[in-house]
Amino acid sequence: MSNDPRTPVLVSAARTAVGKFNGALKNIDPLDLGGVAVAGAMDGAGDVIPDHVIMANIIQAGNGQNPARSAGLRGGVPTTVPAITLNNVCLASMFAAGMAATMIRAGEMDSAIVGGFDSMSRAPHALQIRQASPVGTEPAVDLLTKDGLWCAVADSGMGPISDQANADLRISRADQDEFSVETHRRAHAATEAGRLAEEIAPMPELSADEGIRPDSSMERLQRLKPAFTTNGTVTAGNASQMSDAGSAGLMMTEELANSHGLVPMVEIVATSTVAGPDATLHLKPAAAASKLLEKVGMSTSDIGLWEINEAFAGVALATARDLNLDLYIVNVNGGAIAIGHPLGASGFRITMSLAREMRRRGIDHGIATMCGGGGQGQAILLRLC
């Protein structure tokens, strides 16, 4: 533990099970997904009332003003607690944890609920009616694509961008498929062993991650056609699944945790964010992690566990290769290709998963890192308490 009483620590964390696109959670309001996760995190709060709610929501249209506040209220946070909703695409809920840690260290707050939520199944379509032509049919805009899956910087889908990156970095279809089979195997093993259940606040509709395929195999994946470009290597089997979920955690000063008899899980040591120079995704997690390690004066050999968000198999492989990581310590309980990638929930989901696994194994330091739409990257360094 640190000698600084203002050291930011994570004392509890929870998430919903991750539902498949148009699956078991398709009728659940995204604010309720966030609320279930918040309630799960608050179960470990004792009598601490958070000073702030900082949560991510990417597909925001139709969710009302400041969705984070509504999710917090539905999770049992008092109406006297302010909230802010973050959206820097996939990075946002990991960024929320970093933002809270910075504000806690600075004395701006003593505690915060952090995390994020999204229902990709319930993403609406939009019509521009106020400026519509008085005659004719106005096309609907799919806000799942427009706000969640389409790179606004490159004006392109992130699938084609990733196909090109795979080609440029010489990441083969076979390597992506092999990685994907392994992530399903690990996620299934973690489910069977009860490790993922420890993270989940069950709902009547779903109590276990819905997208994990125990029967995934190279033979099955090799039969899939390219999903985005004719000669591309990204398929439905080696890319993350569209999903619905919420994740949340309670952070506070070490001093506050001690005074309330709460046992910290991990310390939030530092975070880093990178952007550009282009809109590709593959090497942004590695760049963010490298920046973070340089900031704290550490090297990859000091890090015992890694989480790399599997937006695409190529992203995780490119990151591991760039950082010279052994895949044995990367995403040990599976990743988004198997579990799913519910946008605003994902960054904190992999952060809390890392924290729990560090405690199981007694690992001193771990890093979670990820890419984000528009060519950005985020990384967070955790230290075992």
Side-chain angles (χ1 to χ4, degrees), residues 321-378:
R321 290 177 184 181
D322 191 73
L323 296 172
N324 196 28
L325 303 180
D326 187 337
L327 289 176
Y328 179 77
I329 59 170
V330 174
N331 300 356
V332 295
N333 291 316
I337 290 169
I339 295 170
H341 183 10
L343 298 182
S346 292
F348 189 74
R349 182 197 71 77
I350 67 172
T351 301
M352 63 177 278
S353 182
L354 175 64
R356 288 183 178 276
E357 193 61 29
M358 287 171 62
R359 290 192 65 79
R360 275 189 209 102
R361 299 186 181 205
I363 299 294
D364 287 334
H365 292 92
I367 285 180
T369 188
M370 65 193 309
C371 62
Q376 298 194 107
Q378 178 82 22

Short mmCIF file of all heavy atoms in Angstrom, two decimals, residues 321-378:
data_model
loop_
_atom_site.label_atom_id
_atom_site.label_comp_id
_atom_site.label_asym_id
_atom_site.label_seq_id
_atom_site.Cartn_x
_atom_site.Cartn_y
_atom_site.Cartn_z
N ARG A 321 2.59 -8.17 -30.19
CA ARG A 321 3.84 -8.26 -30.95
C ARG A 321 4.67 -7.00 -30.77
O ARG A 321 5.90 -7.07 -30.61
CB ARG A 321 3.52 -8.49 -32.43
CG ARG A 321 2.96 -9.87 -32.71
CD ARG A 321 2.58 -10.05 -34.17
NE ARG A 321 1.96 -11.36 -34.40
CZ ARG A 321 1.54 -11.78 -35.59
NH1 ARG A 321 1.67 -11.01 -36.65
NH2 ARG A 321 0.99 -12.97 -35.71
N ASP A 322 4.03 -5.84 -30.80
CA ASP A 322 4.76 -4.58 -30.68
C ASP A 322 5.42 -4.46 -29.30
O ASP A 322 6.53 -3.92 -29.19
CB ASP A 322 3.81 -3.41 -30.92
CG ASP A 322 4.55 -2.09 -31.06
OD1 ASP A 322 5.19 -1.89 -32.12
OD2 ASP A 322 4.50 -1.27 -30.13
N LEU A 323 4.73 -4.95 -28.28
CA LEU A 323 5.27 -4.87 -26.91
C LEU A 323 6.08 -6.11 -26.53
O LEU A 323 6.60 -6.17 -25.41
CB LEU A 323 4.12 -4.69 -25.92
CG LEU A 323 3.32 -3.39 -26.04
CD1 LEU A 323 2.09 -3.43 -25.13
CD2 LEU A 323 4.19 -2.18 -25.73
N ASN A 324 6.16 -7.09 -27.44
CA ASN A 324 6.88 -8.34 -27.19
C ASN A 324 6.32 -9.06 -25.96
O ASN A 324 7.06 -9.49 -25.07
CB ASN A 324 8.38 -8.09 -27.02
CG ASN A 324 9.21 -9.36 -27.14
OD1 ASN A 324 8.81 -10.31 -27.81
ND2 ASN A 324 10.35 -9.39 -26.47
N LEU A 325 5.00 -9.23 -25.95
CA LEU A 325 4.32 -9.88 -24.83
C LEU A 325 4.09 -11.35 -25.12
O LEU A 325 3.78 -11.74 -26.25
CB LEU A 325 2.97 -9.21 -24.56
CG LEU A 325 2.95 -7.72 -24.26
CD1 LEU A 325 1.52 -7.25 -24.03
CD2 LEU A 325 3.84 -7.39 -23.07
N ASP A 326 4.19 -12.15 -24.09
CA ASP A 326 3.81 -13.56 -24.18
C ASP A 326 2.30 -13.64 -24.07
O ASP A 326 1.71 -13.17 -23.08
CB ASP A 326 4.48 -14.33 -23.04
CG ASP A 326 4.27 -15.83 -23.14
OD1 ASP A 326 3.30 -16.27 -23.80
OD2 ASP A 326 5.08 -16.57 -22.53
N LEU A 327 1.63 -14.23 -25.05
CA LEU A 327 0.17 -14.31 -25.03
C LEU A 327 -0.35 -15.11 -23.84
O LEU A 327 -1.54 -15.04 -23.52
CB LEU A 327 -0.35 -14.91 -26.34
CG LEU A 327 -0.22 -14.01 -27.58
CD1 LEU A 327 -0.69 -14.76 -28.83
CD2 LEU A 327 -1.03 -12.73 -27.41
N TYR A 328 0.52 -15.85 -23.19
CA TYR A 328 0.12 -16.63 -22.01
C TYR A 328 -0.40 -15.72 -20.90
O TYR A 328 -1.24 -16.14 -20.09
CB TYR A 328 1.31 -17.45 -21.52
CG TYR A 328 1.04 -18.26 -20.28
CD1 TYR A 328 0.31 -19.45 -20.37
CD2 TYR A 328 1.52 -17.86 -19.04
CE1 TYR A 328 0.05 -20.21 -19.23
CE2 TYR A 328 1.27 -18.61 -17.90
CZ TYR A 328 0.53 -19.79 -18.00
OH TYR A 328 0.28 -20.53 -16.88
N ILE A 329 0.08 -14.46 -20.84
CA ILE A 329 -0.35 -13.54 -19.77
C ILE A 329 -1.26 -12.43 -20.30
O ILE A 329 -1.47 -11.43 -19.63
CB ILE A 329 0.86 -12.93 -19.03
CG1 ILE A 329 1.77 -12.16 -19.98
CG2 ILE A 329 1.64 -14.01 -18.29
CD1 ILE A 329 2.85 -11.33 -19.27
N VAL A 330 -1.82 -12.64 -21.48
CA VAL A 330 -2.72 -11.65 -22.08
C VAL A 330 -4.13 -12.23 -22.13
O VAL A 330 -4.34 -13.34 -22.64
CB VAL A 330 -2.26 -11.29 -23.51
CG1 VAL A 330 -3.29 -10.39 -24.19
CG2 VAL A 330 -0.89 -10.61 -23.48
N ASN A 331 -5.08 -11.50 -21.57
CA ASN A 331 -6.51 -11.90 -21.64
C ASN A 331 -6.69 -13.35 -21.18
O ASN A 331 -7.24 -14.19 -21.90
CB ASN A 331 -7.06 -11.72 -23.06
CG ASN A 331 -6.98 -10.28 -23.55
OD1 ASN A 331 -6.58 -9.38 -22.81
ND2 ASN A 331 -7.38 -10.04 -24.77
N VAL A 332 -6.26 -13.61 -19.98
CA VAL A 332 -6.19 -14.99 -19.50
C VAL A 332 -7.57 -15.61 -19.31
O VAL A 332 -7.69 -16.84 -19.27
CB VAL A 332 -5.37 -15.08 -18.20
CG1 VAL A 332 -3.93 -14.69 -18.44
CG2 VAL A 332 -5.98 -14.22 -17.09
N ASN A 333 -8.60 -14.79 -19.17
CA ASN A 333 -9.97 -15.31 -19.05
C ASN A 333 -10.81 -15.02 -20.29
O ASN A 333 -12.03 -14.97 -20.23
CB ASN A 333 -10.64 -14.72 -17.80
CG ASN A 333 -10.02 -15.25 -16.53
OD1 ASN A 333 -9.76 -16.44 -16.40
ND2 ASN A 333 -9.76 -14.36 -15.58
N GLY A 334 -10.13 -14.86 -21.41
CA GLY A 334 -10.84 -14.55 -22.65
C GLY A 334 -11.06 -13.06 -22.80
O GLY A 334 -10.82 -12.27 -21.88
N GLY A 335 -11.51 -12.67 -23.99
CA GLY A 335 -11.72 -11.26 -24.27
C GLY A 335 -12.95 -11.01 -25.09
O GLY A 335 -13.85 -11.86 -25.18
N ALA A 336 -12.99 -9.86 -25.73
CA ALA A 336 -14.22 -9.37 -26.37
C ALA A 336 -14.67 -10.21 -27.55
O ALA A 336 -15.85 -10.19 -27.91
CB ALA A 336 -14.03 -7.92 -26.81
N ILE A 337 -13.77 -10.96 -28.17
CA ILE A 337 -14.18 -11.84 -29.27
C ILE A 337 -15.13 -12.90 -28.75
O ILE A 337 -16.09 -13.29 -29.43
CB ILE A 337 -12.96 -12.46 -29.95
CG1 ILE A 337 -12.20 -11.37 -30.72
CG2 ILE A 337 -13.35 -13.60 -30.88
CD1 ILE A 337 -10.84 -11.80 -31.22
N ALA A 338 -14.92 -13.35 -27.54
CA ALA A 338 -15.79 -14.35 -26.92
C ALA A 338 -16.86 -13.73 -26.04
O ALA A 338 -18.05 -14.08 -26.12
CB ALA A 338 -14.96 -15.34 -26.10
N ILE A 339 -16.45 -12.79 -25.18
CA ILE A 339 -17.36 -12.24 -24.19
C ILE A 339 -18.25 -11.16 -24.78
O ILE A 339 -19.45 -11.07 -24.46
CB ILE A 339 -16.55 -11.68 -22.99
CG1 ILE A 339 -15.83 -12.83 -22.28
CG2 ILE A 339 -17.45 -10.92 -22.02
CD1 ILE A 339 -14.81 -12.38 -21.24
N GLY A 340 -17.69 -10.34 -25.68
CA GLY A 340 -18.45 -9.27 -26.30
C GLY A 340 -17.83 -7.92 -26.02
O GLY A 340 -17.02 -7.76 -25.10
N HIS A 341 -18.23 -6.93 -26.82
CA HIS A 341 -17.68 -5.58 -26.72
C HIS A 341 -18.83 -4.57 -26.68
O HIS A 341 -19.19 -3.95 -27.68
CB HIS A 341 -16.78 -5.32 -27.93
CG HIS A 341 -16.09 -4.00 -27.94
ND1 HIS A 341 -16.07 -3.14 -26.86
CD2 HIS A 341 -15.38 -3.37 -28.93
CE1 HIS A 341 -15.39 -2.05 -27.19
NE2 HIS A 341 -14.96 -2.17 -28.43
N PRO A 342 -19.42 -4.38 -25.49
CA PRO A 342 -20.54 -3.45 -25.36
C PRO A 342 -20.09 -2.00 -25.20
O PRO A 342 -20.52 -1.28 -24.30
CB PRO A 342 -21.26 -3.95 -24.10
CG PRO A 342 -20.18 -4.59 -23.29
CD PRO A 342 -19.19 -5.15 -24.27
N LEU A 343 -19.20 -1.57 -26.09
CA LEU A 343 -18.72 -0.19 -26.23
C LEU A 343 -18.44 0.49 -24.90
O LEU A 343 -17.37 0.34 -24.33
CB LEU A 343 -19.70 0.61 -27.10
CG LEU A 343 -19.86 0.10 -28.54
CD1 LEU A 343 -20.81 0.98 -29.33
CD2 LEU A 343 -18.53 -0.05 -29.26
N GLY A 344 -19.39 1.26 -24.37
CA GLY A 344 -19.15 2.04 -23.17
C GLY A 344 -18.84 1.23 -21.93
O GLY A 344 -18.27 1.76 -20.98
N ALA A 345 -19.18 -0.04 -21.91
CA ALA A 345 -18.91 -0.88 -20.73
C ALA A 345 -17.55 -1.56 -20.80
O ALA A 345 -17.02 -2.01 -19.78
CB ALA A 345 -20.00 -1.95 -20.60
N SER A 346 -16.94 -1.64 -21.98
CA SER A 346 -15.80 -2.53 -22.18
C SER A 346 -14.55 -2.10 -21.45
O SER A 346 -13.82 -2.94 -20.89
CB SER A 346 -15.50 -2.66 -23.68
OG SER A 346 -16.53 -3.36 -24.34
N GLY A 347 -14.21 -0.82 -21.48
CA GLY A 347 -12.97 -0.37 -20.86
C GLY A 347 -12.89 -0.68 -19.39
O GLY A 347 -11.85 -1.15 -18.90
N PHE A 348 -13.99 -0.45 -18.68
CA PHE A 348 -13.95 -0.78 -17.26
C PHE A 348 -14.12 -2.28 -17.04
O PHE A 348 -13.58 -2.82 -16.06
CB PHE A 348 -14.99 -0.01 -16.45
CG PHE A 348 -14.81 -0.20 -14.96
CD1 PHE A 348 -13.76 0.43 -14.31
CD2 PHE A 348 -15.62 -1.05 -14.24
CE1 PHE A 348 -13.53 0.22 -12.95
CE2 PHE A 348 -15.40 -1.26 -12.89
CZ PHE A 348 -14.35 -0.62 -12.24
N ARG A 349 -14.82 -2.97 -17.93
CA ARG A 349 -14.93 -4.43 -17.78
C ARG A 349 -13.55 -5.07 -17.78
O ARG A 349 -13.25 -5.91 -16.92
CB ARG A 349 -15.78 -5.06 -18.89
CG ARG A 349 -15.94 -6.58 -18.69
CD ARG A 349 -16.41 -7.31 -19.91
NE ARG A 349 -15.42 -7.41 -20.95
CZ ARG A 349 -14.38 -8.25 -20.93
NH1 ARG A 349 -14.16 -9.07 -19.90
NH2 ARG A 349 -13.53 -8.29 -21.95
N ILE A 350 -12.68 -4.70 -18.72
CA ILE A 350 -11.38 -5.34 -18.75
C ILE A 350 -10.51 -4.86 -17.59
O ILE A 350 -9.65 -5.61 -17.11
CB ILE A 350 -10.67 -5.16 -20.12
CG1 ILE A 350 -10.27 -3.72 -20.38
CG2 ILE A 350 -11.52 -5.71 -21.24
CD1 ILE A 350 -9.39 -3.57 -21.62
N THR A 351 -10.75 -3.64 -17.11
CA THR A 351 -10.01 -3.14 -15.95
C THR A 351 -10.36 -3.94 -14.70
O THR A 351 -9.48 -4.36 -13.94
CB THR A 351 -10.29 -1.64 -15.74
OG1 THR A 351 -9.92 -0.91 -16.91
CG2 THR A 351 -9.54 -1.10 -14.54
N MET A 352 -11.66 -4.16 -14.47
CA MET A 352 -12.06 -4.89 -13.28
C MET A 352 -11.68 -6.37 -13.38
O MET A 352 -11.31 -6.99 -12.38
CB MET A 352 -13.56 -4.74 -13.02
CG MET A 352 -14.47 -5.31 -14.09
SD MET A 352 -16.22 -5.18 -13.66
CE MET A 352 -16.41 -6.60 -12.60
N SER A 353 -11.72 -6.91 -14.58
CA SER A 353 -11.32 -8.31 -14.78
C SER A 353 -9.83 -8.47 -14.45
O SER A 353 -9.42 -9.44 -13.80
CB SER A 353 -11.61 -8.74 -16.21
OG SER A 353 -11.28 -10.10 -16.41
N LEU A 354 -9.04 -7.50 -14.89
CA LEU A 354 -7.61 -7.52 -14.58
C LEU A 354 -7.39 -7.43 -13.07
O LEU A 354 -6.58 -8.18 -12.51
CB LEU A 354 -6.93 -6.35 -15.28
CG LEU A 354 -5.44 -6.14 -14.97
CD1 LEU A 354 -4.61 -7.32 -15.44
CD2 LEU A 354 -4.95 -4.84 -15.61
N ALA A 355 -8.10 -6.53 -12.41
CA ALA A 355 -7.93 -6.36 -10.96
C ALA A 355 -8.23 -7.66 -10.22
O ALA A 355 -7.49 -8.06 -9.31
CB ALA A 355 -8.84 -5.23 -10.47
N ARG A 356 -9.31 -8.32 -10.59
CA ARG A 356 -9.69 -9.56 -9.91
C ARG A 356 -8.66 -10.67 -10.14
O ARG A 356 -8.32 -11.42 -9.23
CB ARG A 356 -11.08 -10.01 -10.37
CG ARG A 356 -12.20 -9.13 -9.83
CD ARG A 356 -13.57 -9.67 -10.26
NE ARG A 356 -14.65 -8.87 -9.72
CZ ARG A 356 -15.16 -9.00 -8.51
NH1 ARG A 356 -14.68 -9.93 -7.70
NH2 ARG A 356 -16.16 -8.23 -8.10
N GLU A 357 -8.16 -10.76 -11.37
CA GLU A 357 -7.19 -11.81 -11.65
C GLU A 357 -5.85 -11.53 -10.98
O GLU A 357 -5.16 -12.48 -10.54
CB GLU A 357 -7.01 -11.98 -13.16
CG GLU A 357 -6.28 -13.25 -13.58
CD GLU A 357 -7.01 -14.52 -13.16
OE1 GLU A 357 -8.25 -14.52 -13.05
OE2 GLU A 357 -6.31 -15.54 -12.96
N MET A 358 -5.48 -10.26 -10.87
CA MET A 358 -4.26 -9.93 -10.12
C MET A 358 -4.37 -10.40 -8.68
O MET A 358 -3.40 -10.93 -8.12
CB MET A 358 -4.03 -8.41 -10.18
CG MET A 358 -3.55 -7.89 -11.53
SD MET A 358 -3.54 -6.07 -11.62
CE MET A 358 -2.36 -5.66 -10.33
N ARG A 359 -5.53 -10.22 -8.08
CA ARG A 359 -5.71 -10.65 -6.70
C ARG A 359 -5.69 -12.18 -6.59
O ARG A 359 -5.14 -12.73 -5.64
CB ARG A 359 -7.02 -10.09 -6.13
CG ARG A 359 -6.96 -8.58 -5.92
CD ARG A 359 -8.13 -8.07 -5.10
NE ARG A 359 -8.13 -8.57 -3.74
CZ ARG A 359 -7.36 -8.08 -2.75
NH1 ARG A 359 -6.54 -7.10 -2.98
NH2 ARG A 359 -7.45 -8.59 -1.54
N ARG A 360 -6.29 -12.86 -7.54
CA ARG A 360 -6.28 -14.33 -7.51
C ARG A 360 -4.85 -14.87 -7.55
O ARG A 360 -4.51 -15.83 -6.87
CB ARG A 360 -7.05 -14.89 -8.72
CG ARG A 360 -8.52 -15.00 -8.54
CD ARG A 360 -9.17 -15.74 -9.69
NE ARG A 360 -10.53 -15.26 -9.85
CZ ARG A 360 -10.93 -14.41 -10.78
NH1 ARG A 360 -10.09 -13.98 -11.69
NH2 ARG A 360 -12.17 -14.00 -10.82
N ARG A 361 -4.05 -14.26 -8.40
CA ARG A 361 -2.70 -14.79 -8.65
C ARG A 361 -1.62 -14.12 -7.80
O ARG A 361 -0.47 -14.55 -7.84
CB ARG A 361 -2.35 -14.62 -10.13
CG ARG A 361 -3.26 -15.35 -11.08
CD ARG A 361 -2.77 -15.25 -12.49
NE ARG A 361 -3.65 -15.94 -13.43
CZ ARG A 361 -3.26 -16.43 -14.61
NH1 ARG A 361 -1.99 -16.29 -14.99
NH2 ARG A 361 -4.12 -17.03 -15.41
N GLY A 362 -1.97 -13.05 -7.10
CA GLY A 362 -0.97 -12.32 -6.34
C GLY A 362 0.01 -11.57 -7.24
O GLY A 362 1.20 -11.45 -6.91
N ILE A 363 -0.49 -11.06 -8.35
CA ILE A 363 0.35 -10.33 -9.31
C ILE A 363 0.44 -8.87 -8.88
O ILE A 363 -0.58 -8.21 -8.64
CB ILE A 363 -0.24 -10.42 -10.72
CG1 ILE A 363 -0.29 -11.88 -11.20
CG2 ILE A 363 0.53 -9.55 -11.70
CD1 ILE A 363 1.05 -12.51 -11.39
N ASP A 364 1.64 -8.33 -8.80
CA ASP A 364 1.84 -6.99 -8.28
C ASP A 364 1.34 -5.89 -9.22
O ASP A 364 0.77 -4.89 -8.78
CB ASP A 364 3.32 -6.74 -7.98
CG ASP A 364 3.79 -7.49 -6.75
OD1 ASP A 364 2.95 -7.78 -5.88
OD2 ASP A 364 4.99 -7.81 -6.67
N HIS A 365 1.60 -6.03 -10.53
CA HIS A 365 1.25 -4.98 -11.48
C HIS A 365 0.58 -5.57 -12.72
O HIS A 365 0.98 -6.63 -13.21
CB HIS A 365 2.50 -4.21 -11.93
CG HIS A 365 3.11 -3.38 -10.84
ND1 HIS A 365 4.12 -3.86 -10.03
CD2 HIS A 365 2.85 -2.11 -10.44
CE1 HIS A 365 4.47 -2.92 -9.17
NE2 HIS A 365 3.72 -1.85 -9.38
N GLY A 366 -0.42 -4.86 -13.20
CA GLY A 366 -1.11 -5.25 -14.43
C GLY A 366 -1.49 -4.03 -15.23
O GLY A 366 -1.71 -2.95 -14.68
N ILE A 367 -1.57 -4.20 -16.53
CA ILE A 367 -1.99 -3.12 -17.42
C ILE A 367 -3.14 -3.59 -18.28
O ILE A 367 -3.12 -4.70 -18.83
CB ILE A 367 -0.83 -2.65 -18.33
CG1 ILE A 367 0.17 -1.81 -17.51
CG2 ILE A 367 -1.34 -1.82 -19.52
CD1 ILE A 367 1.35 -1.28 -18.32
N ALA A 368 -4.18 -2.74 -18.38
CA ALA A 368 -5.25 -2.92 -19.35
C ALA A 368 -5.10 -1.83 -20.40
O ALA A 368 -4.84 -0.67 -20.06
CB ALA A 368 -6.62 -2.84 -18.68
N THR A 369 -5.25 -2.19 -21.66
CA THR A 369 -5.08 -1.22 -22.73
C THR A 369 -6.04 -1.52 -23.87
O THR A 369 -6.48 -2.66 -24.04
CB THR A 369 -3.61 -1.19 -23.21
OG1 THR A 369 -3.42 -0.11 -24.11
CG2 THR A 369 -3.20 -2.50 -23.87
N MET A 370 -6.37 -0.50 -24.65
CA MET A 370 -7.39 -0.68 -25.68
C MET A 370 -7.29 0.42 -26.74
O MET A 370 -6.68 1.48 -26.51
CB MET A 370 -8.78 -0.67 -25.05
CG MET A 370 -9.19 0.64 -24.43
SD MET A 370 -10.66 0.50 -23.37
CE MET A 370 -11.82 -0.34 -24.47
N CYS A 371 -7.90 0.14 -27.87
CA CYS A 371 -8.01 1.13 -28.94
C CYS A 371 -9.39 1.77 -28.89
O CYS A 371 -10.31 1.26 -28.25
CB CYS A 371 -7.79 0.48 -30.30
SG CYS A 371 -9.02 -0.79 -30.72
N GLY A 372 -9.51 2.91 -29.58
CA GLY A 372 -10.79 3.59 -29.66
C GLY A 372 -10.99 4.20 -31.03
O GLY A 372 -10.02 4.58 -31.71
N GLY A 373 -12.24 4.31 -31.45
CA GLY A 373 -12.56 4.87 -32.75
C GLY A 373 -11.94 6.24 -32.97
O GLY A 373 -11.82 7.04 -32.05
N GLY A 374 -11.52 6.49 -34.20
CA GLY A 374 -10.85 7.74 -34.52
C GLY A 374 -9.35 7.67 -34.33
O GLY A 374 -8.65 8.67 -34.47
N GLY A 375 -8.82 6.48 -34.01
CA GLY A 375 -7.38 6.32 -33.87
C GLY A 375 -6.83 6.78 -32.55
O GLY A 375 -5.87 7.54 -32.49
N GLN A 376 -7.44 6.32 -31.44
CA GLN A 376 -6.97 6.66 -30.12
C GLN A 376 -6.63 5.39 -29.33
O GLN A 376 -7.06 4.29 -29.69
CB GLN A 376 -8.01 7.48 -29.36
CG GLN A 376 -8.35 8.81 -30.01
CD GLN A 376 -9.11 9.73 -29.09
OE1 GLN A 376 -8.58 10.71 -28.59
NE2 GLN A 376 -10.38 9.41 -28.85
N GLY A 377 -5.90 5.56 -28.24
CA GLY A 377 -5.57 4.44 -27.37
C GLY A 377 -5.56 4.88 -25.93
O GLY A 377 -5.32 6.05 -25.62
N GLN A 378 -5.83 3.92 -25.03
CA GLN A 378 -5.88 4.20 -23.59
C GLN A 378 -5.25 3.04 -22.85
O GLN A 378 -5.41 1.88 -23.24
CB GLN A 378 -7.34 4.37 -23.14
CG GLN A 378 -7.53 4.62 -21.66
CD GLN A 378 -7.33 6.07 -21.28
OE1 GLN A 378 -7.43 6.94 -22.13
NE2 GLN A 378 -7.07 6.34 -20.02
#
